[in-house]
Amino acid sequence: MATLPYRRISASPDSQTEILLVTSRGTGRWVLPKGNPMKGLAPHAAAAQEAFEEAGLEGAVCPSPLGDYRYRKQLKSGASLLVKVRVFPLAVTSELDDWPEAGQRTRQWFALSEAADLVDETELRDLMRSFRPGDFEDASARLPFRRGFAQLKEGFRMFHWFQSLLPKQGNFFEQFEAHAVTLTAGSDALTRLLQGGPNMGQHIKEIVEREQEADDITREVLQSVRKTFLTPFDRGAITSLITSMDDAIDQMKKTASAISQYEVAEFEQEMRDMAAIIVDCSRLLSEALPLLRDIHGNAARLHELTERLVRMEEHSDEIHDKGMNKSYKTHGPANTLRFFVEREIYGHLEKVVDRFEDVANEIDGLVIDHA
């Protein structure tokens, strides 16, 4: 099991992504924090524990894996065996100054494209490229054959020449991306909130503020739809997209409000897992929205992103059901009030992920209609 520890340089949807790598104890080469499965821990939780021990990292690890890669591991017996490693995205929230293997490894942040070049495994390199393909475009554009391909691709876009000739009005793309910033920030605050601790009030306040910012942006979009003569997409599609995005952060606020109202200070692992899925949903959405500016050229990648969002919603449902079942068995007969409170929090978290799936469906509809 391994984590892909990442952070964004800024809150902008097109912000570059950085990856943290550590040196291996044997060869000193750059690798992801990884280890073997741990008894009593789910795979993603075991991967997060390895990230803590090897790199001193804490954050939200998404239960839905990014994918797998294989490499040959040299054993003490002399055998070289093929090992499959499952990789889980880890949105890093804090880096400890001291950690169990601090004296044995070096850790360092790299741009995603640079990190992919530093690892030895081809399959891992491909997996990292799938994490955020846009971060590789600048490097790829420097290659002559890529330039030639880009020119050829541009030629095919002449099939849509009439769209480029139409006057563009409104700033809908900027507004979509601005709203995505509030979703990303709200998701980050939500996962920090569910980690508990003395700063919960601050995280609740940030979620409320981000929801208000999102409301302002949504209001601007709805006003622009009425006032703009020519829009990039159907007016109904624009309204549905921004509304579904706003519904997602509304549900984050309702989650925070329930936690504040019932003075909940401790959270089950399943709740944290659902929050980690929400963080990764926001990451995928932040990549998808800027791609709408060229929906013809980005149709394939948009479909990949929306398909992953749908799969993550299905995984979230499984975690929700598992958490509810555990809560009922633990608190149902003996502490009914606690069960009802946990049920409400689980319900809000489930609805947040559901709203992200709604956004994915809206984007998929745009791809079908316009690409």
Side-chain angles (χ1 to χ4, degrees), residues 274-346:
M274 293 181 74
I277 285 181
I278 290 168
V279 169
D280 214 40
C281 284
S282 72
R283 175 186 65 83
L284 295 173
L285 185 60
S286 291
E287 180 184 347
L289 288 170
L291 300 181
L292 292 178
R293 293 173 179 267
D294 179 14
I295 198 167
H296 308 289
N298 297 318
R301 179 58 180 171
L302 282 166
H303 180 67
E304 290 175 7
L305 293 171
T306 56
E307 188 177 58
R308 178 164 172 78
L309 281 165
V310 172
R311 291 200 306 269
M312 290 172 69
E313 189 276 335
E314 294 171 353
H315 192 178
S316 176
D317 283 345
E318 296 173 3
I319 296 171
H320 168 272
D321 293 346
K322 178 183 176 182
M324 283 294 300
N325 181 261
K326 185 172 78 173
S327 179
Y328 176 74
K329 289 180 178 179
T330 305
H331 306 296
N335 191 344
T336 306
L337 180 59
R338 175 68 181 269
F339 169 71
F340 283 139
V341 170
E342 290 193 353
R343 184 177 69 175
E344 182 168 346
I345 294 173
Y346 275 120

Side-chain angles (χ1 to χ4, degrees), residues 38-185:
M38 299 182 186
K39 187 176 181 180
L41 288 181
H44 68 286
Q49 181 64 27
E50 292 292 347
F52 165 75
E53 294 178 2
E54 296 186 6
L57 301 179
E58 295 179 336
V61 58
C62 182
S64 295
L66 181 64
D68 303 321
Y69 74 94
R70 294 170 298 173
Y71 79 103
R72 288 206 167 271
K73 184 175 183 178
Q74 191 71 36
L75 304 182
K76 293 181 180 179
S77 65
S80 178
L81 301 181
L82 196 62
V83 179
K84 184 171 76 171
V85 182
R86 180 148 293 177
V87 181
F88 298 88
L90 173 66
V92 176
T93 57
S94 61
E95 302 172 53
L96 302 180
D97 295 328
D98 188 30
W99 64 96
E101 298 183 16
Q104 306 171 44
R105 302 177 187 271
T106 299
R107 68 182 183 187
Q108 186 173 332
W109 288 100
F110 297 96
L112 177 55
S113 57
E114 185 179 0
D117 289 337
L118 288 172
V119 298
D120 290 344
E121 298 83 6
T122 302
E123 291 181 356
L124 175 57
R125 207 172 296 136
D126 293 341
L127 200 62
M128 294 169 74
R129 287 179 177 274
S130 73
F131 187 70
R132 182 84 176 184
D135 282 13
F136 296 87
E137 289 180 356
D138 292 340
S140 299
R142 290 194 293 268
L143 298 174
F145 80 92
R146 292 292 293 184
R147 284 201 302 267
F149 178 77
Q151 292 170 358
L152 181 61
K153 187 177 180 181
E154 190 64 33
F156 283 114
R157 288 178 183 165
M158 290 301 291
F159 283 112
H160 306 286
W161 62 271
F162 59 91
Q163 287 191 326
S164 65
L165 296 177
L166 293 174
K168 298 294 188 295
Q169 298 183 33
N171 58 340
F172 295 105
F173 295 118
E174 290 85 352
Q175 290 167 326
F176 291 151
E177 292 162 22
H179 200 294
V181 171
T182 68
L183 281 170
T184 298

Side-chain angles (χ1 to χ4, degrees), residues 175-176 179 218 221-222 238-246:
Q175 290 167 326
F176 291 151
H179 200 294
T218 301
V221 171
L222 296 179
I238 293 174
T239 300
S240 296
L241 176 57
I242 196 65
T243 300
S244 58
M245 291 171 63
D246 202 52

